[in-house]
Amino acid sequence: MEPVRNFIGGAWVEPLTTDSILRADPFTGKIHLELPVSTAADVDLAVKSAAAAQPNWAAMDLADRLEALNEFADALEDAAADLAAAESLEMGKPVDIGTQFVLAGIEVFRESLKDAATYPFDEEYGGNDEIRTFTRHAPVGVVALIVPWNFTVAGILLGLGPILAAGNTVVVKPSEKATPSAVRMLEQCALPVGVINLVVGDGRTGRALSENPDVALVNFTGSVGAGRQVAQATAPRLARAVLELGGKDAAIVDLGVDVENVAAQLTYAAFVNSGQICTSIERVYVVAGIADALITALVAEARRYVMGEKRSAGQISIGPMVDAAQRNIVRYHIEDARAKGAKILVGGEIPDVPGYYYPATVLTDVTSDMLVMHEETFGPVLPVQVVASFEEGLANAAESHFGLAATIFTNDVTHAEAAAQLPVGMVWINQWQGSGLVRMYEPARASGSGLTGGRAAYDAATRGVSVSIPKRLVPPLRLSAD
């Protein structure tokens, strides 16, 4: 097995640890990787490297920083196939899905760099006849970027652009379940030494990074439990934390929609990447008058999803789950639903094949007390509950301690307007993921905190400094607002 190293100060270095964890190939279940668990001392080296690089990086002209970052994007685009292959091997997604999301991540990264050109790093705000007052949006310093295992490369790129374009430096911590693709990504990096650093390990490494006193901002995507730990780690020193956590995203299907189209969208949103997406649709509320037709169409669509390589043009490949632990969560949710009276229409059983596969599953006769309807399943499972009206579906969708996203299928404009009031960070009308990955939002409830995307991502990565100066001194300062 190829050793995994940290990337610190522009060099690949052995972690200062004897502790490691073993990871299994999701396609076979056999051990294929030994991952060192970086210590607090490793983390401190990475943070010090980032801190040393930050002043010079921030002092560069914005145009020069953006040029360097776009060159990094070019290198990643050239390596997209290799990055997708690494993601497939580490967590099981089909290579074509991996490629799609790697390229989408690069696109978002490039778009975020364009935002830098219009972001008011220096803006005039306040003043009087004698004094001009400017707000300077200065970089916060060293940022910890902790990403989940389901889309490592895209997960890094979604937050990285504004962090670096604003003049910060970063320490990246990928999940222990999906580290090699992050290593491959950093192998493409030709940015100045120390601008990007990488530490590998598990939650102990992430905790040390969150607790490091020289980290000014933690940008975290992951579970609710881990997110709470990040919040607790940053609170004593009053450091910032932007958190995107779990979800239990609902879909509501109204009368009068195109059933076949909606069924295709719902199954894709539930089963792509084996349901291991933060915004996967995990519960469906369908109005009674259209329920039978929709359920029939959902079952037909679900049967198109085959485990492993597809064998005909009409089939869709579904990869294994990331590991046995995640598949066991899915199994437990299904067994709980079955014991409480749910009807499994397709799927619902662990197959007798190597690896961590779980079939596309549709179930009905579900109730709100079932785990599959109120806890994050994170697997290829689509529970469907029939409701008497759109309003009942809307109320049920809002009954959750999560608040990440919701998808509404309706041709009624008043229903669409009502859906926009759901307590979630994103609402998509008639198109799951309709906004793509370029968006600005803040998760609600236990799904996280902190507005992100677009200008908000730059606001989070900068600190406003009010500068008041006599008007006669303004021109020499060359503030961009002048």
Side-chain angles (χ1 to χ4, degrees):
M1 291 179 283
E2 183 180 347
V4 181
R5 298 181 175 89
N6 292 329
F7 186 68
I8 299 175
W12 294 98
V13 296
E14 295 283 351
L16 305 171
T17 181
T18 58
D19 199 2
S20 64
I21 56 177
L22 299 177
R23 293 298 303 168
D25 181 336
F27 293 93
T28 66
K30 296 180 179 180
I31 299 299
H32 74 146
L33 180 68
E34 182 176 8
L35 184 75
V37 179
S38 296
T39 65
D42 292 301
V43 167
D44 199 50
L45 288 173
V47 172
K48 281 182 166 55
S49 168
Q54 194 273 325
N56 286 338
W57 177 247
M60 290 176 62
D61 287 342
L62 176 61
D64 293 335
R65 283 204 303 273
L66 296 180
E67 181 180 5
L69 293 171
N70 275 303
E71 288 175 355
F72 182 36
D74 293 340
L76 293 176
E77 198 161 2
D78 291 341
D82 290 340
L83 295 172
E87 284 198 341
S88 178
L89 182 60
E90 68 196 11
M91 63 78 56
K93 69 167 64 74
V95 173
D96 61 337
I97 296 297
T99 302
Q100 173 187 334
F101 279 88
V102 166
L103 293 175
I106 295 169
E107 179 185 1
V108 172
F109 181 74
R110 291 191 191 277
E111 287 298 318
S112 72
L113 300 183
K114 292 178 184 177
D115 288 338
T118 58
Y119 183 75
F121 287 103
D122 297 303
E123 59 180 329
E124 187 163 7
Y125 188 82
N128 55 42
D129 290 342
E130 301 295 329
I131 299 293
R132 294 184 71 178
T133 298
F134 299 85
T135 297
R136 310 205 71 175
H137 296 270
V140 295
V142 177
V143 178
L145 182 57
I146 305 176
V147 299
W149 48 262
N150 53 344
F151 292 102
T152 300
V153 175
I156 294 171
L157 290 171
L158 287 177
L160 190 64
I163 290 169
L164 294 183
N168 302 287
T169 51
V170 68
V171 179
V172 176
K173 159 61 177 70
S175 169
E176 69 275 15
K177 297 185 178 186
T179 295
S181 60
V183 171
R184 298 289 181 269
M185 183 178 176
L186 269 292
E187 288 174 347
Q188 317 307 316
C189 180
L191 294 171
V193 168
V195 170
I196 301 183
N197 304 270
L198 173 78
V199 289
V200 302
D202 59 12
R204 291 167 287 180
T205 309
R207 190 173 304 113
L209 183 57
S210 299
E211 292 174 348
N212 190 286
D214 293 324
V215 170
L217 165 67
V218 180
N219 188 307
F220 174 86
T221 304
S223 70
V224 174
R228 288 195 173 110
Q229 291 179 356
V230 169
Q232 291 167 356
T234 57
R237 67 182 190 277
L238 302 180
R240 293 184 190 175
V242 175
L243 308 173
E244 183 178 311
L245 310 179
K248 190 68 182 178
D249 290 3
I252 305 172
V253 184
D254 201 1
L255 298 173
V257 300
D258 182 335
V259 169
E260 301 298 326
N261 174 272
V262 170
Q265 285 204 53
L266 288 173
T267 50
Y268 182 80
F271 304 148
V272 66
N273 204 39
S274 297
Q276 299 169 126
I277 302 178
C278 298
T279 56
S280 291
I281 290 178
E282 293 210 0
R283 52 196 172 114
V284 175
Y285 301 101
V286 55
V287 178
I290 203 172
D292 288 346
L294 179 70
I295 290 168
T296 298
L298 288 174
V299 170
E301 283 290 331
R303 294 190 190 282
R304 297 177 59 207
Y305 287 80
V306 297
M307 293 174 287
E309 295 297 322
K310 59 184 181 181
R311 294 173 290 279
S312 69
Q315 293 180 333
I316 302 171
S317 176
I318 185 170
M321 306 202 69
V322 66
D323 57 21
Q326 187 58 42
R327 186 172 68 172
N328 282 338
I329 293 173
V330 177
R331 177 181 60 81
Y332 183 60
H333 281 201
I334 293 297
E335 289 178 354
D336 172 77
R338 184 184 280 119
K340 292 174 180 175
K343 184 178 181 180
I344 312 299
L345 302 184
V346 61
E349 299 288 348
I350 292 178
D352 186 19
V353 297
Y356 304 122
Y357 287 94
Y358 198 90
T361 299
V362 176
L363 58 161
T364 57
D365 296 346
V366 292
T367 53
S368 61
D369 63 322
M370 298 175 183
L371 293 173
V372 77
M373 290 300 284
H374 64 81
E375 294 301 326
E376 188 171 35
T377 304
F378 225 58
V381 175
L382 192 62
V384 183
Q385 185 175 73
V386 180
V387 294
S389 65
F390 181 86
E391 290 73 20
E392 182 184 347
L394 202 63
N396 288 351
E399 288 278 333
S400 176
H401 54 279
F402 294 106
L404 189 53
T407 306
I408 315 301
F409 296 95
T410 184
N411 292 320
D412 187 321
V413 66
T414 60
H415 287 176
E417 290 171 347
Q421 305 307 312
L422 282 168
V424 297
M426 294 167 276
V427 177
W428 296 307
I429 307 296
N430 292 332
Q431 180 66 55
W432 178 71
Q433 292 277 19
S435 61
L437 296 177
V438 178
R439 56 201 175 210
M440 185 165 63
Y441 67 99
E442 180 171 11
R445 298 175 173 171
S447 288
S449 64
L451 186 65
T452 190
R455 169 176 174 145
Y458 282 89
D459 289 342
T462 57
R463 179 175 53 86
V465 180
S466 182
V467 180
S468 295
I469 56 179
K471 289 184 176 181
R472 62 186 176 81
L473 294 180
V474 172
L477 292 180
R478 303 189 183 196
L479 293 172
S480 61
D482 196 42

